[in-house]
């Protein structure tokens, strides 16, 4: 349909710029090498959720890192609001980077569009960073 075409086109056009902006804004990922950023972009796939959906549940095992493309999400911990996140931001990286359970709940405040990368792809790329290599010594 026409709507699908428009959606796909907008993903394709904005994808690289949006994901790059989100990674550069994240304390853990802003030091990635250009090649790693390109690999993450390549591995990310689009997904969407409707308003009110739980994207991440505190305490769950985490397996996905997200970049928000469109809409707003709310971050809560033990029922207390921590913050809201808007487009071009990374979230869901902590459980994967620290190999722990999800540290907070993330809920869609609006319909949202996301880019997602799974744990295995993400860890493979991050393992090549000096950040993680150094922390192992
Ligand atoms: P993760 O994997 O623990 O899942 C919940 C995510 O919420 C977390 O990663 C962060 O990416 C994101 N987040 C955004 N703001 C905060 C915050 O203030 N505290 C915590 N714990 N997580 C936050």
């Amino acid at each position: 349909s026409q709507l699908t075409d428009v959606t796909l086109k907008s993903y394709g056009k904005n994808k690289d710029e949006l994901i790059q902006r989100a990674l550069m804004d994240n304390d853990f990922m802003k030091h990635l090498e250009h090649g790693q950023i390109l690999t993450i972009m390549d591995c990310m796939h689009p997904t969407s959720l409707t308003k009110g959906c739980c994207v991440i549940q505190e305490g769950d095992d985490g397996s996905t890192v997200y970049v928000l493309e469109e809409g707003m999400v709310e971050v809560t911990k033990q029922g207390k609001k921590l913050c809201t996140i808007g487009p071009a931001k990374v979230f869901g990286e902590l459980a994967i980077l620290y190999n722990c359970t999800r540290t907070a709940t993330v809920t869609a405040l609006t319909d949202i569009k996301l880019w997602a990368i799974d744990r295995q792809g993400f860890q493979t790329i991050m393992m090549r960073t000096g950040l993680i290599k150094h922390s192992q010594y």
Side-chain angles (χ1 to χ4, degrees):
S1 74
Q2 213 174 12
L3 189 62
T4 311
D5 290 347
V6 169
T7 305
L8 289 174
K9 252 183 236 157
S10 99
Y11 270 136
K13 184 163 164 264
N14 298 323
K15 178 184 181 187
D16 289 0
E17 196 262 336
L18 180 105
I19 293 173
Q20 185 156 3
R21 190 146 44 97
L23 295 175
M24 300 306 272
D25 187 64
N26 182 278
D27 285 339
F28 297 100
M29 284 171 250
K30 63 170 115 192
H31 304 293
L32 290 175
E33 288 156 25
H34 187 59
Q36 291 174 311
I37 291 175
L38 293 179
T39 311
I40 291 177
M41 286 173 184
D42 248 20
C43 293
M44 293 200 105
H45 56 89
T47 180
S48 60
L49 286 169
T50 55
K51 181 179 173 176
C53 280
C54 179
V55 189
I56 288 176
Q57 177 69 54
E58 183 180 355
D60 280 1
D61 289 327
S63 60
T64 310
V65 180
Y66 298 98
V67 168
L68 186 60
E69 156 142 6
E70 206 178 289
M72 295 289 290
V73 297
E74 182 179 67
V75 183
T76 57
K77 196 175 171 74
Q78 287 161 355
K80 282 190 180 163
K81 182 175 163 178
L82 293 180
C83 60
T84 57
I85 296 176
K89 294 279 187 283
V90 173
F91 66 91
E93 80 286 22
L94 297 182
I96 282 85
L97 284 171
Y98 292 111
N99 212 22
C100 61
T101 55
R102 293 298 197 186
T103 61
T105 294
V106 179
T107 310
L109 291 177
T110 64
D111 290 354
I112 54 172
K113 284 189 195 171
L114 302 157
W115 290 96
I117 182 170
D118 67 28
R119 171 191 286 272
Q120 204 189 350
F122 183 71
Q123 276 182 336
T124 305
I125 296 158
M126 291 303 285
M127 288 286 273
R128 298 179 205 140
T129 69
L131 208 101
I132 288 186
K133 269 185 221 144
H134 286 141
S135 74
Q136 287 171 343
Y137 292 107

